[in-house]
């Protein structure tokens, strides 16, 4: 098998390290120490795989004055030093590569290697779930490259759920994943609008005056949805736009879109720039929604206790009126954000002039 072909033998010291990893995780519950022991072994295993699939056994050597050490950065890169394609991603699979990038590289991820090696984390505060994920991932790699008779049948049966979870892993810290997370937060926040307490209509007659204005917004929104539908950027019906936007159907549709996998491994720079813009938009939408929820709740309490000044009462009425129109508009913007996210890789194929116009 793989380890025999590369003549790799862990030896007694490595077997002791395996035992130490499991001991610190299970018995001592020292999850940072477990990870500190595990990372060098994981790096060594990935380096072995990297050298085997790319046909460069010389990269297994330790660092010399004339050659650099093969680290995670080179192992996880898209290309080798000579410019050729790194074959490791195709061997491990996209899900496994996304997990490694999440844990080790993404700026908003845990970056366990950097933080532990630089002493930037309190060891006793190291999270158990992170150590558990790293340990599970390492065991899956061992199962992938060791002979089948190296594991008992009962052990393999226990591993099946772990293997399945690694095979279906989706990035949580890539910018694309962060936009999806932000969209879901916006959906949750906008759902709270329907539960906002409001004074009786007899006290705020202005609410009735905003109905016609809101209907005009729905007319414009329906035209936009039809345009998106004709461009193939949407997968839901637009026959009843107002009903779809203001009900749970909209939330369910966006949740389904956010669960769909979007390839994000080695995204081109143009794609990342567009994702940054989409994230800024979704972040601002969430801030607006969250502010409206908190302000409305506070103003309602003050209205009930009759502590609002005259100008504050007028502003509160305007806020209640604007919510009627602002709700569908924010939902439209969030919908357009997630639809653009699903078509984000198309921007790398557009001419530069069209791309710059798209960003604007």
């Amino acid at each position: 098998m793989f380890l025999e072909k590369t003549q790799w033998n862990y030896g007694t010291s490595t077997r002791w390290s395996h035992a130490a990893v499991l001991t610190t995780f299970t018995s001592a519950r020292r999850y940072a120490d477990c990870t500190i022991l595990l990372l060098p072994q994981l790096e060594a295993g990935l380096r072995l795989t990297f050298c085997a699939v790319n046909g460069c056994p010389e990269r297994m050597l330790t660092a010399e004055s004339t050659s650099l050490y093969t680290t995670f950065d080179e192992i996880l890169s898209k290309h080798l030093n000579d410019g050729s394609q790194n074959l490791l991603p195709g061997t491990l699979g996209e899900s496994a590569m996304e997990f490694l990038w999440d844990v080790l590289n993404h700026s908003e991820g845990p970056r366990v290697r950097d933080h532990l090696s630089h002493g930037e984390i309190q060891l006793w505060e190291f999270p158990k779930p992170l150590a558990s994920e790293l340990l599970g991932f390492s065991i899956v790699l061992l199962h992938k490259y060791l002979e089948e008779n190296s594991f008992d049948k009962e052990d393999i049966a226990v591993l099946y759920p772990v293997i399945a979870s690694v095979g279906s892993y989706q990035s949580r810290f890539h910018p694309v994943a962060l936009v999806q997370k932000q969209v879901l937060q916006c959906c949750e926040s906008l759902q709270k609008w329907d539960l906002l307490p409001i004074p009786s209509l007899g006290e705020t007659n202005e609410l009735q005056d905003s109905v016609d204005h809101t209907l005009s917004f729905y007319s414009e929104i329906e035209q936009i949805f039809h345009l998106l539908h004709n461009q193939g950027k949407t997968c839901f019906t637009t026959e009843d736009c107002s009903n779809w936007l203001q009900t749970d159907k909209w939330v369910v549709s966006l949740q389904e879109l956010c669960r769909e996998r979007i390839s994000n491994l080695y995204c081109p720079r143009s794609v990342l720039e567009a994702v940054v813009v989409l994230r800024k938009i979704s972040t601002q939408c969430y801030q607006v929604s969250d502010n409206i929820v908190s302000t409305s709740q506070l103003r309602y309490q003050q209205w009930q206790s009759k502590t609002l000044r005259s100008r504050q009462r007028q502003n509160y009425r305007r806020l209640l009126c604007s919510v009627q129109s602002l709700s569908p508009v924010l939902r439209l913007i969030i919908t357009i954000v997630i639809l653009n996210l699903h078509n984000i890789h198309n921007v790398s194929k557009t001419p530069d002039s069209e791309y710059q116009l798209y960003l604007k």
Side-chain angles (χ1 to χ4, degrees):
M1 292 299 290
F2 178 82
L3 294 180
E4 293 176 344
K5 291 178 181 178
T6 53
Q7 298 181 350
W8 179 260
N9 187 0
Y10 278 102
T12 305
S13 62
T14 305
R15 286 196 297 271
W16 178 87
S17 297
H18 290 164
V21 168
L22 294 175
T23 300
T24 55
F25 182 82
T26 56
S27 302
R29 298 181 180 179
R30 294 157 55 189
Y31 304 118
D33 293 337
C34 167
T35 304
I36 291 171
L37 290 171
L38 183 61
L39 281 175
Q41 299 180 64
L42 177 60
E43 186 176 15
L46 287 173
R47 186 182 300 112
L48 171 63
T49 310
F50 170 84
C51 295
V53 299
N54 288 299
C56 51
E58 70 279 1
R59 298 303 296 153
M60 279 299 299
L61 298 175
T62 58
E64 303 290 346
S65 59
T66 57
S67 61
L68 298 176
Y69 200 62
T70 306
T71 63
F72 277 127
D73 293 331
E74 186 178 353
I75 293 171
L76 301 181
S77 63
K78 185 177 182 179
H79 297 99
L80 305 181
N81 290 336
D82 59 4
S84 60
Q85 189 81 13
N86 182 6
L87 301 180
L88 181 65
T91 302
L92 293 183
E94 186 172 349
S95 295
M97 291 296 294
E98 286 185 6
F99 172 81
L100 290 171
W101 270 83
D102 264 9
V103 173
L104 300 173
N105 282 6
H106 286 316
S107 59
E108 297 188 50
R111 294 172 55 213
V112 292
R113 172 192 54 177
D114 296 343
H115 291 312
L116 285 173
S117 61
H118 292 91
E120 297 173 350
I121 186 172
Q122 299 291 348
L123 299 185
W124 55 87
E125 295 178 355
F126 194 89
K128 176 183 177 181
L130 184 54
S132 177
E133 289 179 354
L134 272 171
L135 183 58
F137 180 81
S138 302
I139 293 174
V140 170
L141 283 185
L142 284 175
H143 173 264
K144 182 179 179 68
Y145 292 113
L146 286 178
E147 293 184 355
E148 293 185 2
N149 57 14
S150 300
F151 293 85
D152 295 333
K153 293 183 178 180
E154 295 181 358
D155 294 336
I156 294 178
V158 173
L159 285 178
Y160 284 149
V162 183
I163 295 172
S165 64
V166 171
S168 60
Y169 183 87
Q170 294 188 40
S171 176
R172 291 175 291 183
F173 300 104
H174 189 278
V176 169
L178 295 175
V179 172
Q180 291 174 308
K181 180 180 179 180
Q182 190 73 68
V183 166
L184 291 176
Q185 289 180 335
C186 288
C187 292
E188 295 177 0
S189 180
L190 287 168
Q191 279 186 295
K192 297 177 182 178
W193 289 27
D194 298 331
L195 306 176
L196 290 177
I198 59 173
S200 63
L201 292 178
E203 295 173 306
T204 56
N205 294 326
E206 294 90 342
L207 288 175
Q208 297 292 343
D209 299 333
S210 67
V211 174
D212 294 337
H213 194 206
T214 302
L215 292 176
S216 66
F217 272 107
Y218 281 120
S219 177
E220 297 292 335
I221 290 172
E222 188 171 352
Q223 294 183 31
I224 295 174
F225 274 134
H226 279 297
L227 178 62
L228 292 171
H229 186 77
N230 293 335
Q231 294 177 348
K233 291 187 177 181
T234 181
C235 57
F236 37 77
T237 180
T238 59
E239 294 179 356
D240 190 1
C241 171
S242 60
N243 183 56
W244 178 76
L245 272 180
Q246 294 298 92
T247 61
D248 290 339
K249 295 180 181 179
W250 175 78
V251 179
V252 172
S253 297
L254 263 65
Q255 287 174 342
E256 292 176 353
L257 288 172
C258 288
R259 282 195 294 265
E260 292 182 12
R261 175 180 287 275
I262 301 175
S263 179
N264 55 42
L265 197 61
Y266 307 126
C267 286
R269 180 177 178 179
S270 58
V271 171
L272 294 177
E273 288 177 346
V275 171
V276 169
V277 175
L278 294 177
R279 189 179 178 190
K280 288 180 179 179
I281 295 172
S282 61
T283 299
Q284 291 171 358
C285 287
Y286 175 76
Q287 290 174 347
V288 170
S289 178
D290 188 58
N291 288 340
I292 286 180
V293 170
S294 58
T295 301
S296 296
Q297 293 174 341
L298 175 62
R299 287 291 183 257
Y300 177 77
Q301 295 174 358
Q302 293 173 332
W303 180 285
Q304 294 296 97
S305 61
K306 299 181 179 181
T307 58
L308 288 174
R309 297 189 298 272
S310 176
R311 179 63 64 85
Q312 290 176 324
R313 289 196 299 271
Q314 293 177 8
N315 290 337
Y316 180 42
R317 292 191 181 97
R318 294 191 185 99
L319 173 63
L320 294 175
C321 295
S322 65
V323 164
Q324 304 297 314
S325 301
L326 190 57
S327 175
V329 172
L330 280 177
R331 289 175 179 238
L332 169 66
I333 294 174
I334 292 301
T335 303
I336 293 177
V337 166
I338 194 64
L339 292 178
N340 276 271
L341 192 64
H342 274 268
N343 294 274
I344 198 65
H345 289 285
N346 293 335
V347 302
S348 60
K349 306 173 185 177
T350 59
D352 185 65
S353 58
E354 294 183 14
Y355 172 71
Q356 295 299 329
L357 183 61
Y358 171 77
L359 288 184
K360 291 180 181 180

